[in-house]
Amino acid sequence: MPVEDLGFRRAAPALAAFAAVRLLGLTVLAVWSAVAGSSPHTLLSARWDSLWYARIAAEGYGYEIVLPDGDVHSNLAFFPLLPWLERVVSAVTGLSYGSAGLVVSVLAGFAAAWGIFAVADLLHGRRTGVFAVAVWAALPVGIVQSMAYSEALFTALAAWALYGALRGRWLTAGLLAAGAGLTRPVGAAVVAAVWVAAVLAWRRGERSWRMALGALLAPAGAAAYVLWVGARTGGGLLGYLDVQAGWGNGFDGGWAFARFVGAKLASSAWPAGLGLIAGVVLVLWLYGACVRQRQPAPLLVYCGIVVALALCASGYFGSKPRLLLPAFPLMLVPAVALARWRTRRAVLVLGAAALASAVYGAFWLNGSGPP
């Protein structure tokens, strides 16, 4: 299998599948918004977290909101790489920062799709790689890949960092892991994966300055930002955790989420509680299937941390589905199964999933949406 051939021609079917699913999602969103009297552009670029990123791009850090209960929502909770890129794109194109965020997300989405394809192609071949990308694009919260959010950017950096680690390209893996650490707090998962890959390579007898430097570079992005926030707030090493606590975010092992689900089950919204339980069971089953599939240890470590942080952190529970979006190794399980099917049958199943995702995404953004 020519796994080294990562040119456009080899990845083109996967990128075309990603483009088709995302275009369907945007088309349905446009139609739904026209009926609802809302603006698709505003929904994608100027609501919830996208507003915080755009403000950072425009004004830098230092903005905060004090809520009636005394909680402080500070923009220091948001890592800087996306607003930095928004500022660059805006300077080059003249677009608003929110629109620049959409440009970054579009480009990052294709980069993420290519990276997911590269990892899946390396492990299971080209056909599985195409299906892995299509499944990822057709996730129920796939519309987030088209928003001025950081999920697509983070997934792109994570996927290519993991590919670099699997191929022993240590400097690439380390630099991309550092970039992931400047994008989202879960960048720690990418760092851990690169370190695990380096340890396994060392145990196999590899000794190189590139491996050592890559391992040192991997945590540089996250460490730099966390230390800077600590110095700015006066909170030292725990300063960033204090900022997150102001947003109600923390790691409680899933206790707050369990109480939330329990409250749903005990109310008239019990079907939603059952749906949440089914979703968690599905995610855990998929991770178990990843283990049974004998995915490489760096992928299992990365995916395990992403899943654990998403499910076991306190905070706004409506965010959990999108927090799972970077856990793309889970998609290798259905992708391998789909690759064994006849093409017509697999395409029909994926088409139905993509349409359902498009409808749900339009409903979601015109309703509560991702905070």
Side-chain angles (χ1 to χ4, degrees):
M1 179 177 61
V3 296
E4 290 296 332
D5 178 11
L6 289 175
F8 177 79
R9 181 173 297 179
R10 183 169 183 83
L15 299 178
F18 176 76
V21 175
R22 293 274 35 86
L23 182 60
L24 176 62
L26 294 175
T27 300
V28 172
L29 175 63
V31 173
W32 191 297
S33 299
V35 174
S38 58
S39 166
H41 182 270
T42 299
L43 293 174
L44 294 171
S45 68
R47 292 184 72 188
W48 307 297
D49 289 5
S50 57
L51 290 173
W52 288 87
Y53 284 120
R55 184 183 286 272
I56 294 169
E59 304 172 2
Y61 286 100
Y63 177 78
E64 62 183 31
I65 297 174
V66 180
L67 303 183
D69 62 2
D71 286 344
V72 178
H73 286 187
S74 167
N75 65 0
L76 290 170
F78 297 88
F79 278 53
L81 186 56
L82 176 57
W84 286 349
L85 293 175
E86 288 179 341
R87 187 176 297 174
V88 170
V89 172
S90 178
V92 171
T93 64
L95 294 171
S96 69
Y97 292 117
S99 297
L102 293 183
V103 173
V104 173
S105 288
V106 168
L107 297 176
F110 278 99
W114 203 330
I116 293 169
F117 169 80
V119 172
D121 181 29
L122 175 67
L123 299 178
H124 300 287
R126 187 185 190 190
R127 183 175 171 87
T128 298
V130 173
F131 284 121
V133 170
V135 173
W136 184 70
L139 287 172
V141 292
I143 191 66
V144 176
Q145 299 158 7
S146 299
M147 297 178 68
Y149 270 44
S150 61
E151 274 76 11
L153 177 61
F154 176 80
T155 305
L157 293 166
W160 283 110
L162 287 166
Y163 179 80
L166 293 175
R167 299 300 299 165
R169 297 171 182 171
W170 301 112
L171 293 182
T172 298
L175 287 170
L176 291 172
L182 284 170
T183 307
R184 295 188 62 81
V186 76
V190 188
V191 176
V194 172
W195 281 354
V196 167
V199 168
L200 293 176
W202 181 82
R203 290 181 62 183
R204 292 193 300 267
E206 180 175 348
R207 305 287 190 275
S208 72
W209 66 267
R210 288 182 177 83
M211 184 176 73
L213 182 56
L216 288 173
L217 286 171
Y225 184 67
V226 168
L227 290 174
W228 179 79
V229 170
R232 184 181 177 101
T233 62
L237 293 176
L238 299 180
Y240 183 75
L241 296 180
D242 294 336
V243 170
Q244 285 285 4
W247 284 80
N249 296 327
F251 189 87
D252 63 0
W255 175 240
F257 187 37
R259 286 186 299 162
F260 177 78
V261 174
K264 291 288 186 184
L265 292 174
S267 71
S268 60
W270 60 267
L274 292 178
L276 289 171
I277 292 174
V280 171
V281 170
L282 175 61
V283 169
L284 296 178
W285 180 86
L286 284 172
Y287 186 74
C290 291
V291 176
R292 295 190 297 273
Q293 202 177 57
R294 296 186 178 181
Q295 290 185 11
L299 286 188
L300 294 176
V301 168
Y302 164 77
C303 189
I305 294 175
V306 171
V307 169
L309 290 177
L311 296 183
C312 298
S314 58
Y316 185 76
F317 304 108
S319 298
K320 291 188 181 295
R322 71 174 177 87
L323 296 180
L324 286 166
L325 198 60
F328 70 89
L330 298 178
M331 302 304 102
L332 298 184
V333 175
V336 168
L338 287 167
R340 294 173 180 153
W341 292 5
R342 292 183 177 179
T343 300
R344 178 183 176 84
R345 179 186 178 194
V347 169
L348 287 174
V349 169
L350 281 172
L355 180 59
S357 171
V359 172
Y360 179 72
F363 166 77
W364 199 34
L365 288 193
N366 279 279
S368 60

